């Protein structure tokens, strides 16, 4: 009988997200006698060490970096399945060079992140944090000074227009928005038409929107590209929301815009660095709502992230391609195809 397949699970789940992946492993993996799993040491901020994952064919990754040193020498490793959708900490070129596929959980985060965006839009529009402070300090007499905004007729602009942006606009449908704007050089115009979204320039997004939402991935191209030039275009009554990645924004420029009153406020689920130092200017700003990169962390997201990660690895073990691959170029590589073939034969040998 061949050796069981081995799945490595980031030790980060035990500290940063306890109890989120284990129920899914119990449901999908534990009943399979030919698949085992165990935790590996994911370190703390440093790239995962190669010897930590050398024994595994598949890995479920959380928040640690994966670079060339991580996958070097891991001959049996076939797939890294990201618990989530962002993969800015994963060196995809290094994975491809070592015949390792990266899979993400696109469907798992679409609705939870879109709901998080909607939460921030409503909280900012209704000045929820300010109203909460009035009650806690007994200043009900000041409530007229915290009057909010209705969303009817307001312009919402999305920087990036992938699955999350599309779901965001779907959820905003009943609010009778004005214009729905998006900037995404990679979006098919036909898809924009389906979503009833106007494709416009980046400058138009910032100049005309009442709410500017960041929905793009962190790449070399997008790192720091939302900066003072763009904040200067915003209306003083407009709000900025980021639930994507902190480094997409030049945070010093955002702070300066907020301090100068150039924009009305911000809702940030992501910052740079994370955790944010307690003496950071954003902490003291009453027109800023902050969340610890967890506003989308819900029971739905936990279940779907874990399910898709496990299903991705099981698909690879069967010699198949998972639902949401990233580095598709690895499909054409001979050694990766050999891995798939070897795994498929091994899977069949278990009689499943």
């Amino acid at each position: 009988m061949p050796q069981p397949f081995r799945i490595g699970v980031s030790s980060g789940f035990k500290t940063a997200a306890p109890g989120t992946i284990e129920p899914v492993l119990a449901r999908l993996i534990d009943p399979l006698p030919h698949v085992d799993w165990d935790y590996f040491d994911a370190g703390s901020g440093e790239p995962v060490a190669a010897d930590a994952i050398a024994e595994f064919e598949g890995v479920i990754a959380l928040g640690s970096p994966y670079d060339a040193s991580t996958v070097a020498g891991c001959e049996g490793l076939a797939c890294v399945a990201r618990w989530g959708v962002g993969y800015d900490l994963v060196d995809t070129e290094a994975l491809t060079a070592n015949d390792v596929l990266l899979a993400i959980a696109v469907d798992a985060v679409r609705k939870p992140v879109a709901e998080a965006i909607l939460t921030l839009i409503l909280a900012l529009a209704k000045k929820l944090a300010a109203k909460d402070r009035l009650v806690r300090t007994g200043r009900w007499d000041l409530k007229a000074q915290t009057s909010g905004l209705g969303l009817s007729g307001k312009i919402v602009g999305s920087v990036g227009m992938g699955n999350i942006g599309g779901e965001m606009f779907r959820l905003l449908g009943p609010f009778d928005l004005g214009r729905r704007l998006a900037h995404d050089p990679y979006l098919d115009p036909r898809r924009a038409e389906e979503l009833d979204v106007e494709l416009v320039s980046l400058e138009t997004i910032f100049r005309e929107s009442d709410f500017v939402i960041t929905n793009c991935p962190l790449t070399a191209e997008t790192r720091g590209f939302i900066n003072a030039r763009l904040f200067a275009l915003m209306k003083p009554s407009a709000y900025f929301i980021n639930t994507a990645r902190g480094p997409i924004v030049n945070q010093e420029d955002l702070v300066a815009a907020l301090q100068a009153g150039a924009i009305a406020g911000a809702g940030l689920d992501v910052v740079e660095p994370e955790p944010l130092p307690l003496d950071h200017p954003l902490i003291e700003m009453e027109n800023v709502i902050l969340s610890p990169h967890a506003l989308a962390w819900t029971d739905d997201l936990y279940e779907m992230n874990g399910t898709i990660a496990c299903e991705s690895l099981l698909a690879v073990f069967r010699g198949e391609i998972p639902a949401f691959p990233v580095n598709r170029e690895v499909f054409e590589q001979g050694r990766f195809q050999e891995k798939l073939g070897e795994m498929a034969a091994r899977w069949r040998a278990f009689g499943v």
Side-chain angles (χ1 to χ4, degrees):
M1 186 66 69
Q3 290 291 317
F5 293 94
R6 295 275 290 160
I7 293 175
V9 177
S10 169
S11 62
F13 285 100
K14 294 194 289 186
T15 54
T20 58
I21 188 67
E22 290 81 3
V24 180
L25 292 166
R27 177 170 58 86
L28 294 179
I29 305 301
D30 289 349
L32 304 175
H34 52 290
V35 183
D36 294 334
W37 69 271
D38 199 359
Y39 295 106
F40 65 88
D41 183 7
S44 55
E46 298 298 321
V48 172
D51 58 5
I53 61 171
E55 64 178 292
F56 301 113
E57 287 101 346
V59 163
I60 299 178
L62 187 56
S64 300
Y66 291 71
D67 65 7
S69 69
T70 303
V71 292
C74 296
E75 291 298 324
L77 184 64
C79 183
V80 172
R82 174 81 172 85
W83 192 85
V85 69
Y87 54 92
D88 47 285
L89 294 177
V90 180
D91 186 338
T92 55
E93 292 183 2
L95 264 62
T96 302
N98 285 270
D99 305 293
V100 178
L101 176 66
L102 174 64
I104 57 177
V106 172
D107 277 353
V109 302
R110 177 188 290 116
K111 190 171 183 181
V113 176
E115 289 175 348
I117 294 168
L118 182 57
T119 299
L120 289 173
I121 289 175
L122 289 172
L124 291 167
K126 306 308 178 186
K127 297 190 177 178
L128 182 60
K131 288 180 169 68
D132 177 82
R133 284 191 295 272
L134 290 186
V135 174
R136 293 178 187 276
T137 57
R139 297 307 309 270
W140 292 57
D141 57 310
L142 299 179
K143 61 185 180 182
Q145 298 178 24
T146 59
S147 298
L149 300 174
L151 297 188
S152 179
K154 297 299 186 294
I155 300 172
V156 174
S158 182
V159 181
M161 194 58 197
N163 293 307
I164 292 171
E167 182 68 12
M168 175 194 76
F169 279 121
R170 188 188 74 79
L171 293 178
L172 284 168
F175 289 93
D176 192 27
L177 297 178
R179 298 170 68 197
R180 299 146 60 100
L181 310 180
H183 173 77
D184 191 328
Y186 305 104
L187 183 67
D188 188 329
R190 291 172 296 182
R191 176 61 176 156
E193 187 175 349
E194 290 172 4
L195 294 168
D196 191 26
V197 171
E198 299 176 51
L199 281 178
V200 297
S201 69
L202 189 61
E203 290 74 14
T204 299
I205 292 284
F206 281 82
R207 184 180 297 112
E208 300 189 13
S209 298
D210 296 296
F211 296 89
V212 174
I213 321 294
T214 304
N215 281 317
C216 61
L218 175 61
T219 65
E221 181 183 6
T222 63
R223 183 177 291 275
F225 87 124
I226 296 179
N227 55 24
R229 180 183 72 87
L230 294 172
F231 289 128
L233 299 176
M234 292 179 67
K235 308 178 211 179
S237 58
Y239 292 93
F240 177 77
I241 292 173
N242 187 11
T243 59
R245 286 292 187 271
I248 292 171
V249 180
N250 183 313
Q251 198 159 270
E252 291 184 1
D253 290 352
L254 173 59
V255 168
L258 288 163
Q259 289 175 332
I263 63 176
L268 307 173
D269 187 45
V270 290
V271 290
E272 176 67 18
E274 296 178 0
L276 195 65
L278 293 180
D279 61 352
H280 194 280
L282 287 172
I283 298 287
E284 301 298 325
M285 293 183 177
E286 295 189 353
N287 59 341
V288 176
I289 296 176
L290 297 168
S291 175
H293 202 159
L295 196 56
W297 285 31
T298 62
D299 53 350
D300 291 344
L301 179 133
Y302 296 156
E303 175 69 20
M304 285 296 292
N305 264 346
T307 296
I308 293 175
C310 288
E311 289 178 344
S312 294
L313 295 183
L314 292 177
V316 171
F317 294 165
R318 294 191 300 266
E320 303 167 0
I321 301 301
F324 305 109
V326 174
N327 53 335
R328 293 173 176 270
E329 58 271 27
V330 79
F331 300 160
E332 309 302 322
Q333 297 177 183
R335 177 54 190 146
F336 180 75
Q337 289 298 326
E338 289 176 6
K339 288 182 181 180
L340 287 186
E342 291 165 0
M343 288 184 171
R346 191 162 139 215
W347 187 272
R348 290 193 298 270
F350 284 105
V352 292

